[in-house]
Amino acid sequence: MEWHEINWRKLERRVYKLQKRIYQASNRGDVKTVRKLQKILMKSWYARALAVRRVTQDNQGKKTAGVDGIKSLTPKQRISLTEKLKLGNKVKPTRRVWIPKSGTDEKRPLGIPTIQDRALQSLVKLTLEPEWEAKFEPNSYGFRPGRSCQDAIGAIFNAIRMKAKYVLDADIAKCFDRINHEALLSKLNTFPTLRQQVRAWLKAGVMDGKQLFPTSEGTPQGGVISPLLANISLHGMENRVKQYAETLKGFKRDNRWSLSLIRYADDFVIIHESLDVVKKCREIISEWLIDMGLELKPTKTRLTHTLNEYEIEKPGFDFLGFNIRQHEVGKYHSARVRCKPIGSVRSRPLGFVTIISPSKEKQTVHYDHIASIINSHKAMPQEALIKILNPIIRGWGNYYATVVSKAIYQKLDHLMYWKLRDWAKHRHSKKSGKWHKAKYWKQIDGDNHVFATTIGGNNHRRLLRHGDIKIIRHVKVKGESSPYDGNLVYWSSRIGDNPEMPKRVSTLLKRQKGKCAYCETYFRENDVMEVDHKIPKSQGGKDSYENWQLLHRHCHDTKTANDGSSGKKSGCKSTEPKPIKKTPESQMIIG
């Protein structure tokens, strides 16, 4: 079979059916059936082909080379790799790459496996993820399909909206680098062949330049399966805290739920109304982490209260870039309390209001980023500057568009306006402010102060303002639901409602009822989507919803390789897809 002749729709349906059966068997505790189905999936040609496609065509880092220097594969090489993909115990070391760590001068180490190892890791992830999705705790949100930062913030709001509580805000020190291999493999508890393969990846070593370093602990960041392994290693924290809740004096059924542990990757918070309970939980979690070779990071672990000052700590705390805090309200305001999902919510007349907003640190980092771009592009044309700034503003604004951000958006727009005034003054130092305004600020739709440039006729390219982004409350994911439970309609609709989804992509998702316009399969978590023109712009196609359609990236490649043919075909005429010019909004990874 040729690569371009593969019926991907059939493959995805067959693989998802097996994954759903694994999830259901794991959910009911049928370990024997889980292992049997996992072995079938590992040997399936369909699953192997999907794994190869994901790492060679779909992933953003698909052209990143490992120690063998191979960056990409031809269609024939993909078929060959699919045929020989199987479990073993011989792997090549990962290639060390250092990337900047956001907000600090430190650098984060990544371990890049070879393409063959990445494909095999993707296959193993297809096998293990459904089993563990049925086991993972409901308040675990990081590195899991269908769960986002906004879901974690929604869970925190639900935990504190009725009562002011104490909070332990903690971080695990170098989580990825210090995980105990034997403890992880013991918790994984899978069949021997797969266990040997995972052990081989953990012990493969890392090549930094021309020097090979052994890896006696930790999982390499950069591998396809690393986030799943990290989640497995941290699984059980919430249940351990719930067990302690049952030992509290005067235990009632509701006590188990009054104590909350909400985790996103290696960051977590413990919430309870009693200070002694929270302190005891810190000791319990510290002891629990020792078994996995981990410990809490003292500099990022703090104990605070949501409403009142505690010792020298101010009320509230920061988590995932959000500031969560409660404020006292007067007797007149507290009587008009209403309940909403998250954000500025007054649950009932209890004398406080819960405010969730962007943290001051993230506001400063975002503004400094915008200011640095404006300062470093003083000679750039206005249209080019707008093209650079718009994706940055849209991405940051969409992330915080589910909480109380309107006033902060207006403040940032005000600061950005004066920065742009300085930019215009630097370009034309001998002109007046009135002249600057007439040249760079236009009147559009009744707004006479829009930073924009004319691109032809009455068309303008305008700078997006933070205040233009609508505040829409986010609906938290159902606690124990999973993309493998078979409810594809629910999950495809949640993809469209993701707050970080560009408006154009979200609208097209809803118009297409969550399906790809080319292969007609539902979009799923981790799928890469691209906006395609039905009629190319070179042939007179317009930039409008009537001429746009949303496709998988591999479907877009196939359609483009068909030389612009309008009919649906199962394959390509060329051996390799033509390169596609991508815009920041034309591609989106869901996850």
Side-chain angles (χ1 to χ4, degrees):
M1 178 178 288
E2 297 292 337
W3 186 260
H4 62 266
E5 295 176 349
I6 297 175
N7 186 345
W8 294 109
R9 183 180 180 183
K10 179 181 178 181
L11 266 63
E12 289 184 356
R13 286 185 173 182
R14 293 289 181 88
V15 170
Y16 180 73
K17 185 177 180 181
L18 268 177
Q19 288 180 313
K20 186 170 70 171
R21 291 177 63 190
I22 293 172
Y23 173 83
Q24 291 169 343
S26 179
N27 211 17
R28 63 177 182 265
D30 189 351
V31 178
K32 184 176 180 180
T33 302
V34 169
R35 298 290 176 259
K36 180 181 178 181
L37 293 172
Q38 285 179 331
K39 291 176 182 178
I40 293 173
L41 188 59
M42 287 295 302
K43 296 177 181 178
S44 167
W45 191 91
Y46 293 169
R48 285 181 283 153
L50 285 176
V52 171
R53 188 192 71 184
R54 177 152 296 180
V55 300
T56 60
Q57 288 185 281
D58 288 349
N59 285 358
Q60 293 285 59
K62 59 183 179 181
K63 291 190 177 180
T64 305
V67 293
D68 57 1
I70 299 175
K71 291 185 176 181
S72 60
L73 301 180
T74 64
K76 288 185 178 179
Q77 289 172 330
R78 292 174 197 152
I79 289 288
S80 176
L81 178 58
T82 302
E83 297 291 348
K84 64 181 182 181
L85 207 61
K86 63 179 181 179
L87 297 176
N89 54 13
K90 293 184 179 180
V91 299
K92 293 183 179 179
T94 60
R95 182 172 69 91
R96 172 62 52 84
V97 176
W98 295 90
I99 62 171
K101 194 173 181 179
S102 60
T104 64
D105 295 332
E106 300 178 9
K107 288 191 175 181
R108 187 192 305 275
L110 292 184
I112 310 299
T114 62
I115 288 182
Q116 180 171 344
D117 283 331
R118 293 205 298 267
L120 189 54
Q121 287 185 16
S122 182
L123 176 62
V124 171
K125 185 179 179 182
L126 287 174
T127 304
L128 286 178
E129 195 169 59
E131 175 193 358
W132 282 93
E133 274 296 308
K135 296 179 180 180
F136 282 144
E137 295 150 329
N139 282 322
S140 166
Y141 295 95
F143 304 136
R144 289 184 60 188
R147 291 166 183 260
S148 65
C149 299
Q150 287 75 15
D151 291 316
I153 297 302
I156 291 174
F157 170 76
N158 289 337
I160 66 173
R161 65 174 181 172
M162 304 303 289
K163 287 184 180 180
K165 296 182 179 181
Y166 287 95
V167 178
L168 175 69
D169 180 14
D171 184 16
I172 300 172
K174 296 184 178 180
C175 177
F176 279 87
D177 300 331
R178 295 182 178 176
I179 293 174
N180 184 290
H181 289 173
E182 296 305 319
L184 172 58
L185 291 170
S186 176
K187 186 177 285 189
L188 188 61
N189 191 26
T190 187
F191 56 92
T193 310
L194 183 53
R195 179 189 173 93
Q196 291 175 7
Q197 180 64 71
V198 175
R199 179 190 289 273
W201 285 324
L202 294 175
K203 303 290 186 181
V206 59
M207 185 75 72
D208 195 349
K210 295 183 179 181
Q211 190 171 0
L212 178 64
F213 295 93
T215 50
S216 58
E217 59 182 6
T219 61
Q221 298 185 60
V224 177
I225 201 174
S226 296
L228 176 61
L229 294 179
N231 258 340
I232 293 173
S233 66
L234 297 178
H235 172 67
M237 291 176 63
E238 183 180 356
N239 189 51
R240 178 66 187 90
V241 168
K242 298 294 186 182
Q243 290 175 358
Y244 165 67
E246 296 177 357
T247 66
L248 295 176
K249 186 177 180 180
F251 170 74
K252 298 179 182 179
R253 185 180 181 87
D254 292 339
N255 279 19
R256 186 176 174 88
W257 311 114
S258 65
L259 179 59
S260 303
L261 187 147
I262 297 157
R263 181 174 65 85
Y264 190 94
D266 57 347
D267 296 332
F268 66 92
V269 292
I270 297 176
I271 303 172
H272 194 266
E273 58 185 298
S274 170
L275 177 61
D276 293 335
V277 171
V278 175
K279 286 183 176 179
K280 182 62 176 178
C281 286
R282 177 169 57 184
E283 297 175 7
I284 292 172
I285 291 300
S286 296
E287 294 175 1
W288 187 91
L289 289 172
I290 291 174
D291 295 335
M292 295 303 302
L294 303 171
E295 62 180 359
L296 296 180
K297 191 172 185 178
T299 57
K300 289 191 176 182
T301 300
R302 60 189 292 258
L303 189 59
T304 184
H305 193 266
T306 58
L307 181 60
N308 306 315
E309 287 189 8
Y310 170 70
E311 295 182 349
I312 60 173
E313 297 289 348
K314 294 182 179 180
F317 61 99
D318 292 346
F319 190 69
L320 301 178
F322 295 86
N323 177 261
I324 301 100
R325 182 180 174 181
Q326 292 169 333
H327 301 263
E328 292 183 355
V329 294
K331 60 181 180 180
Y332 299 106
H333 293 286
S334 62
R336 295 197 293 265
V337 173
R338 295 188 301 171
C339 184
K340 296 180 182 178
I342 61 174
S344 176
V345 178
R346 298 162 184 150
S347 54
R348 61 180 185 178
L350 294 178
F352 66 83
V353 57
T354 302
I355 300 290
I356 303 177
S357 58
S359 68
K360 290 185 178 180
E361 179 186 356
K362 295 302 180 182
Q363 294 176 44
T364 303
V365 170
H366 177 59
Y367 174 71
D368 289 345
H369 186 198
I370 290 176
S372 66
I373 290 174
I374 296 174
N375 289 336
S376 60
H377 293 83
K378 290 183 176 179
M380 180 173 285
Q382 183 183 16
E383 182 180 356
L385 179 64
I386 291 173
K387 283 184 177 180
I388 295 174
L389 290 178
N390 275 352
I392 297 170
I393 295 170
R394 182 181 292 109
W396 194 88
N398 285 344
Y399 183 78
Y400 294 105
T402 61
V403 295
V404 186
S405 306
K406 207 65 178 178
I408 293 171
Y409 285 175
Q410 293 172 354
K411 173 187 171 183
L412 289 170
D413 287 335
H414 178 73
L415 294 173
M416 191 168 62
Y417 165 75
W418 287 106
K419 200 68 186 175
L420 292 171
R421 284 288 298 268
D422 291 341
W423 176 85
K425 186 176 180 180
H426 181 272
R427 292 172 65 88
H428 310 281
S429 57
K430 296 183 180 180
K431 299 293 184 180
S432 65
K434 185 176 180 180
W435 188 93
H436 295 152
K437 180 180 177 181
K439 180 171 178 62
Y440 293 110
W441 279 266
K442 310 294 181 184
Q443 182 176 7
I444 302 175
D445 298 331
D447 189 346
N448 60 358
H449 219 68
V450 180
F451 188 76
T453 181
T454 304
I455 56 175
N458 294 325
N459 298 322
H460 298 87
R461 187 177 299 280
R462 58 177 294 173
L463 179 68
L464 177 68
R465 289 183 293 203
H466 297 82
D468 296 333
I469 298 172
K470 293 183 180 180
I471 303 298
I472 302 175
R473 303 304 176 202
H474 179 69
V475 180
K476 192 181 85 68
V477 67
K478 295 177 183 177
E480 296 183 352
S481 59
S482 168
Y484 298 105
D485 58 14
N487 192 355
L488 292 177
V489 175
Y490 170 76
W491 289 103
S492 63
S493 66
R494 281 195 63 83
I495 292 174
D497 293 334
N498 191 306
E500 298 184 72
M501 181 73 67
K503 182 179 182 299
R504 179 169 62 163
V505 177
S506 177
T507 303
L508 289 172
L509 262 174
K510 292 174 182 177
R511 286 191 173 199
Q512 296 173 196
K513 298 181 179 179
K515 293 183 179 181
C516 172
Y518 193 86
C519 66
E520 296 182 350
T521 58
Y522 281 104
F523 287 107
R524 293 180 56 201
E525 304 304 324
N526 301 320
D527 282 350
V528 183
M529 300 182 290
E530 294 186 348
V531 177
D532 173 64
H533 288 79
K534 298 176 184 176
I535 302 175
K537 295 178 71 175
S538 59
Q539 299 178 15
K542 297 182 179 180
D543 276 327
S544 63
Y545 283 105
E546 287 68 26
N547 192 42
W548 288 331
Q549 60 182 351
L550 199 61
L551 311 177
H552 291 105
R553 171 175 285 178
H554 52 269
C555 292
H556 195 179
D557 288 349
T558 303
K559 178 181 177 296
T560 305
N562 281 332
D563 298 325
S565 59
S566 57
K568 294 180 183 177
K569 297 183 180 180
S570 60
C572 313
K573 294 180 180 178
S574 60
T575 58
E576 190 68 23
K578 297 179 181 178
I580 303 170
K581 183 178 180 181
K582 301 177 179 67
T583 62
E585 194 183 5
S586 69
Q587 57 185 22
M588 188 70 191
I589 300 180
I590 308 304

